[in-house]
Amino acid sequence: MPTAETKDVDNRTGQTGKPLFSSTVTAWIGVITSIITIILTIYTTSNKVRLDQLETDFKDRSTKVEESKERVERYKWVYSLYNDLNDVDKRKKNFTVGLITLALTDAESKKLFSALQTSGDTLLQSVGQSGLKALKAIGNEEITALVSKIDTSSAADRIKAVGELENKYASSSPAITMVLNLYNPDNITTLSPDGIINGLYYLNRTNVKVWNKQQIKQGQDAAVRIAALNPGKNTSKELVNFKSLLTLAATGQ
């Protein structure tokens, strides 16, 4: 028969066993809950990333579709001008060519007019030639505007102009000639020190392969005139580089 002492031990054992089991279950529930939370978080984040990517792709496609529609509309409008290109009035014809260059990008206009120029139809050939001349004139107008800013009073405008000339017209023969003209006898006296060094800076970064004999001779004469002005240290350095460029250009002739 169990004694009082034995019962007391059994009671203690039972009481201590229940809290231990409950704690274990609670701990496992916490772990499982944490794992489920992490899985759900990863799943939600992954879905959000996929949805964001799908939304971005959709926007990109929508933009491309709109651009395509806009391009088609421009092409249709240009085609509607065909009869005006046949007009006997040269002013109207040239005006129409100008409108086409405004409606199309430079690349599109060049492709169109180049294709027309190779056409077997003499009228279309004429339109192609007129279009290419118009594009060239537009390009030269931009060059003229940039060259005029080489010696402007605004330092920011000077830097921007020289930068655009270097980036867009390093291989442009008309741009090289226009800048060289700044150093002609009648023009060099009106140039400021900033204008002199800015012109040299651009010329020194042009493609020597596009220089022709006339430009090389003009550059050599300009170098003599610039040296006669006793330029400062920075300008003298650009002048030395300019003479080297002229030598390279002459060697390649």
Side-chain angles (χ1 to χ4, degrees):
M1 185 173 190
T3 63
E5 183 179 355
T6 304
K7 291 180 179 179
D8 186 52
V9 172
D10 291 339
N11 289 338
R12 288 201 303 271
T13 302
Q15 288 174 356
T16 56
K18 289 179 180 179
L20 179 61
F21 177 75
S22 298
S23 297
T24 302
V25 171
T26 302
W28 275 106
I29 291 174
V31 171
I32 294 172
T33 301
S34 298
I35 293 174
I36 292 174
T37 301
I38 293 172
I39 293 173
L40 288 175
T41 301
I42 294 173
Y43 178 76
T44 303
T45 303
S46 177
N47 278 344
K48 186 178 185 305
V49 171
R50 285 199 295 268
L51 288 173
D52 289 344
Q53 185 61 47
L54 287 173
E55 183 179 359
T56 300
D57 293 342
F58 178 75
K59 288 182 179 179
D60 290 342
R61 291 178 182 178
S62 297
T63 300
K64 290 180 180 179
V65 169
E66 291 301 320
E67 289 176 349
S68 296
K69 289 181 179 179
E70 184 269 342
R71 188 163 53 248
V72 170
E73 289 301 317
R74 285 190 293 111
Y75 292 167
K76 288 170 62 178
W77 183 77
V78 168
Y79 182 73
S80 70
L81 299 176
Y82 176 75
N83 290 331
D84 291 337
L85 292 174
N86 293 328
D87 201 287
V88 293
D89 188 340
K90 289 186 178 181
R91 291 176 299 179
K92 185 175 182 179
K93 181 178 178 180
N94 291 336
F95 182 74
T96 302
V97 170
L99 288 177
I100 292 175
T101 61
L102 290 175
L104 303 179
T105 64
D106 289 347
E108 290 170 341
S109 297
K110 188 173 182 179
K111 286 182 179 179
L112 173 63
F113 293 129
S114 295
L116 293 179
Q117 193 176 28
T118 59
S119 170
D121 188 301
T122 55
L123 176 61
L124 293 180
Q125 288 178 5
S126 174
V127 172
Q129 292 170 359
S130 299
L132 291 175
K133 287 181 181 179
L135 287 176
K136 184 177 179 180
I138 292 173
N140 287 346
E141 285 179 5
E142 183 178 4
I143 294 172
T144 301
L146 291 173
V147 172
S148 68
K149 293 179 181 178
I150 283 180
D151 197 27
T152 189
S153 59
S154 170
D157 289 343
R158 292 197 301 269
I159 294 173
K160 183 178 179 181
V162 174
E164 287 193 41
L165 283 170
E166 178 186 351
N167 293 331
K168 298 171 63 176
Y169 299 105
S171 297
S172 170
S173 184
I176 292 172
T177 297
M178 288 185 194
V179 174
L180 286 173
N181 287 340
L182 296 177
Y183 302 109
N184 286 346
D186 294 336
N187 298 330
I188 194 170
T189 55
T190 64
L191 280 180
S192 70
D194 289 325
I196 292 174
I197 192 172
N198 286 339
L200 286 175
Y201 187 91
Y202 160 71
L203 292 172
N204 285 337
R205 286 153 185 81
T206 57
N207 183 358
V208 295
K209 294 181 180 180
V210 302
W211 283 67
N212 57 43
K213 292 182 179 180
Q214 181 179 349
Q215 290 170 333
I216 294 171
K217 179 61 171 63
Q218 190 176 358
Q220 292 169 341
D221 293 340
V224 173
R225 297 189 192 100
I226 295 171
L229 297 176
N230 296 318
K233 181 179 179 180
N234 291 333
T235 302
S236 296
K237 182 179 178 180
E238 290 295 332
L239 182 57
V240 170
N241 293 336
F242 182 52
K243 291 178 180 178
S244 298
L245 178 139
L246 292 173
T247 300
L248 288 175
T251 303
Q253 294 297 313

